[in-house]
Amino acid sequence: MNLLKHDRAFKFHHLCGKLKITHLAFADDLLLFSRGDMYSIQKLYQCVQEFGAVSGLEANPSKCAIFFGGMEESVKATISSCLGFHEGSWPINCTGTKVLKKIDSSEDFLCEDFLWGKTDQSLKSPLVAWDKICREKKCGGLGIFSAKTWNMASALKIIWFIHVNKEWLWIKCIHGKYLKNTNIWLVNMKVGDSWMWKQLLKARDKAITICGGIENLKRCISSCCKNSSIQLSKLYSAISPVLNKVNWYLTVWDTLIYPKHSFILWLAILNRLLTKEKLLRRGVIQSDHCCLCSDNIQESRNHLFFDCLFSNAVWNNIMDWLKFKWKAYDWDILMDWYTSRLKGKGFKQSLKRLALANTVYRIWKERNDRIFNMKVKNIDQLTKEIKLDIMTMILNSPCLEENKQCFSYELKYQDVHILPIFGK
């Protein structure tokens, strides 16, 4: 195959002519390249046949495919008939790795649909914007990676390889086609450029804007290198927006709290739960009266937690049980206390955060059970359920054994009594 460069009648693929590339060999795959004329294709195939005659290794037609670009159907049919191979289609598998047509930020929409489900048209939008969800938990999000930002980081990694590794074969091809008289940082996009190349340059331009210039971007990428290899997660963080930390991070994400309880508390703090107040404003329902109390009061976030007489009594029971030295039922005052005055990561602090998250979750579940399932629990039943939840979480948590001794409980017929016992 290397001798084909001396055959003037053989025509290289238009992207391979400068470097005289006829093939690329992988672990168990072979890619052959030429122009789409019969002479060049037959010369390539002749090399394969000669190799098979000498080695006894022949191509398996069922595992071979031809990929065409910009050719008439009649010519494609003639070539396929001559070689006995079928026409391939994208994506292809090469050494076990799928080569996809394109990867873009549409993956973010797939993740968004997975989190919220297919958004009901009557609700118009997801509960929380995706860019907020992709923030770190300490900054008010869920810590989910953004496919859009991750793709930009991946593109910058490729751009950096083009910048520093000019001896690699594929980078030589890039220089031969796109960077003849310039470099990767200054080259401009052209109409005839490939889709992938345009995406790389778009990512480069966005990153230059984010970092405030080419030199700043170079320093940013260089700082994410370790042993000549780019740490993609570090680069992702470097190009992500710098945001302030929220003061309620520990309140929501304490290690004792179940994730599903943290999620509901997170939505409540952001005031994104679909209370009747919000549903009425969107035209989904006709009445916004709270279903937990009989006062015909609007069901808002603050009313549900814990101005409502029902939820107020439940939360009051839990505070008495945990021996709170103060009591508050106003949501804003309560959150101010939890975020500003309840400091530390000790067991008692975690227990109080656990109590808040579990109570919010159970009250929200009780509200939904009454609306959708026609099931009703009274104050004592819901209080007992919350206590059982807290006991179960503590006894199954990885906290120290001496902390578990803070709880003693006795089970009685049709009743459960759980008493927290705090040492001095």
Side-chain angles (χ1 to χ4, degrees):
M1 286 186 179
N2 289 331
L3 295 177
L4 289 176
K5 62 185 178 182
H6 302 300
D7 185 344
R8 293 188 178 183
F10 178 82
K11 299 293 189 292
F12 289 93
H13 187 279
H14 72 282
L15 293 179
C16 304
K18 185 175 182 179
L19 299 176
K20 309 298 182 185
I21 298 173
T22 57
H23 64 283
L24 294 175
F26 297 92
D28 54 0
D29 294 298
L30 179 66
L31 302 182
L32 306 178
F33 307 97
S34 78
R35 292 292 290 271
D37 62 275
M38 287 301 302
Y39 179 83
S40 299
I41 292 171
Q42 287 176 335
K43 290 295 290 186
L44 272 182
Y45 191 45
Q46 181 183 338
C47 292
V48 174
Q49 289 177 315
E50 290 177 359
F51 172 78
V54 173
S55 65
L57 301 174
E58 297 182 356
N60 184 341
S62 65
K63 295 183 178 180
C64 297
I66 312 171
F67 295 86
F68 300 97
M71 299 179 65
E72 295 181 0
E73 292 298 323
S74 58
V75 178
K76 291 162 61 175
T78 301
I79 295 173
S80 296
S81 176
C82 176
L83 299 181
F85 301 149
H86 68 277
E87 181 179 355
S89 60
W90 295 92
I92 66 170
N93 280 327
C94 182
T95 62
T97 303
K98 266 196 174 182
V99 181
L100 301 177
K101 286 183 178 179
K102 58 174 73 176
I103 301 176
D104 55 33
S105 58
S106 63
E107 291 183 4
D108 278 336
F109 295 106
L110 294 176
C111 295
E112 190 172 26
D113 286 343
F114 176 80
L115 180 62
W116 303 120
K118 292 290 184 180
T119 305
D120 192 321
Q121 293 301 314
S122 63
L123 301 182
K124 297 181 181 179
S125 62
L127 298 182
V128 182
W130 189 250
D131 63 326
K132 293 182 179 179
I133 290 173
C134 292
R135 296 175 183 175
E136 294 183 30
K137 288 182 178 179
K138 291 183 178 180
C139 298
L142 292 181
I144 297 175
F145 271 47
S146 165
K148 183 177 181 180
T149 306
W150 187 264
N151 285 343
M152 180 184 290
S154 301
L156 291 176
K157 181 177 181 179
I158 295 174
I159 288 171
W160 188 253
F161 283 155
I162 295 173
H163 173 63
V164 298
N165 299 310
K166 298 180 180 179
E167 296 304 313
W168 290 5
L169 180 59
W170 69 272
I171 295 178
K172 286 183 177 180
C173 292
I174 292 293
H175 278 270
K177 181 172 177 61
Y178 297 111
L179 305 175
K180 297 177 181 178
N181 300 310
T182 184
N183 59 60
I184 187 61
W185 308 108
L186 300 176
V187 64
N188 293 318
M189 196 183 306
K190 298 177 182 177
V191 176
D193 290 346
S194 69
W195 177 90
M196 183 62 73
W197 182 251
K198 290 179 180 178
Q199 299 309 305
L200 286 177
L201 297 188
K202 286 179 181 178
R204 178 205 63 184
D205 294 341
K206 289 180 182 178
I208 289 173
T209 302
I210 291 172
C211 295
I214 294 175
E215 295 304 318
N216 288 340
L217 176 57
K218 288 181 181 179
R219 283 191 289 268
C220 174
I221 301 175
S222 179
S223 67
C224 299
C225 293
K226 185 178 181 180
N227 299 327
S228 301
S229 178
I230 292 181
Q231 296 176 295
L232 203 54
S233 59
K234 190 174 181 180
L235 182 55
Y236 172 93
S237 299
I239 62 176
S240 296
V242 178
L243 302 168
N244 295 325
K245 295 181 180 179
V246 295
N247 58 0
W248 43 263
Y249 164 70
L250 269 180
T251 304
V252 174
W253 303 110
D254 192 285
T255 53
L256 280 183
I257 304 174
Y258 284 167
K260 64 179 181 180
H261 296 180
S262 291
F263 183 73
I264 295 300
L265 181 57
W266 174 71
L267 287 175
I269 288 178
L270 295 176
N271 199 13
R272 291 295 186 270
L273 289 173
L274 285 177
T275 57
K276 288 187 177 181
E277 172 200 19
K278 294 182 181 296
L279 293 174
L280 179 65
R281 201 160 55 229
R282 298 186 183 194
V284 179
I285 59 176
Q286 303 302 317
S287 172
D288 62 357
H289 293 163
C290 176
C291 64
L292 297 182
C293 59
S294 57
D295 291 341
N296 292 331
I297 299 176
Q298 183 187 63
E299 184 198 83
S300 63
R301 187 272 312 270
N302 286 26
H303 172 75
L304 204 57
F305 314 111
F306 298 96
D307 285 341
C308 168
L309 292 178
F310 179 89
S311 64
N312 184 299
V314 173
W315 180 235
N316 184 54
N317 289 342
I318 298 302
M319 286 194 294
D320 286 341
W321 180 61
L322 292 176
K323 303 186 185 303
F324 274 84
K325 294 181 179 179
W326 66 277
K327 293 183 180 180
Y329 312 108
D330 181 271
W331 176 264
D332 295 324
I333 294 175
L334 193 65
M335 290 310 304
D336 179 68
W337 185 87
Y338 264 90
T339 57
S340 302
R341 297 178 58 189
L342 187 62
K343 302 292 186 179
K345 299 181 180 179
F347 177 73
K348 292 182 183 180
Q349 292 89 335
S350 293
L351 179 60
K352 291 179 179 179
R353 296 184 187 109
L354 171 61
L356 175 66
N358 187 265
T359 304
V360 168
Y361 174 83
R362 284 297 174 184
I363 288 175
W364 182 249
K365 187 175 185 299
E366 174 64 18
R367 175 259 192 196
N368 290 335
D369 281 343
R370 293 190 180 194
I371 294 174
F372 301 110
N373 301 323
M374 305 303 174
K375 295 180 179 180
V376 177
K377 293 186 181 74
N378 61 37
I379 292 172
D380 291 337
Q381 289 173 324
L382 192 58
T383 299
K384 187 184 300 182
E385 194 171 64
I386 294 170
K387 290 181 179 181
L388 276 172
D389 278 351
I390 294 174
M391 179 195 71
T392 303
M393 293 175 195
I394 294 298
L395 295 180
N396 289 283
S397 72
C399 60
L400 297 178
E401 191 63 32
E402 56 266 27
N403 288 330
K404 291 184 181 180
Q405 299 306 319
C406 291
F407 274 81
S408 69
Y409 60 94
E410 57 176 317
L411 300 178
K412 293 184 178 181
Y413 181 66
Q414 291 185 343
D415 199 3
V416 181
H417 299 283
I418 311 164
L419 299 174
I421 303 173
F422 296 114
K424 294 181 181 180

